[in-house]
Amino acid sequence: MGVTQNVTLINGQLYLNAIPLIPQSETTFESTGAVAEFFLDANGKVTRLVLSQTEGAATYDPKR
């Protein structure tokens, strides 16, 4: 995986690098071959993203 993952919200649909994410819970989503889990602080702000694939997991911190 690359160093940067781009997450966007377009017309109510969440995308990871232009691939739609399918909600499994409020913070966990599935996409093609991966599970994306967002971790939130007490205010509901994303503190990190963990992408899990068969090769392993990678953690990403948001750019501010």
Side-chain angles (χ1 to χ4, degrees):
M1 283 189 213
V3 176
T4 300
Q5 300 296 324
N6 294 306
V7 178
T8 54
L9 181 64
I10 301 171
N11 296 325
Q13 174 68 54
L14 198 60
Y15 292 85
L16 176 66
N17 299 325
I19 299 171
L21 292 174
I22 301 162
Q24 302 301 307
S25 74
E26 288 187 15
T27 57
T28 304
F29 299 80
E30 287 186 7
S31 70
T32 308
V35 174
E37 185 173 4
F38 295 90
F39 290 84
L40 311 175
D41 66 14
N43 297 317
K45 196 174 221 182
V46 174
T47 58
R48 77 179 167 209
L49 165 65
V50 175
L51 291 179
S52 300
Q53 297 181 311
T54 54
E55 300 87 18
T59 302
Y60 300 89
D61 295 322
K63 287 187 175 182
R64 307 248 185 237

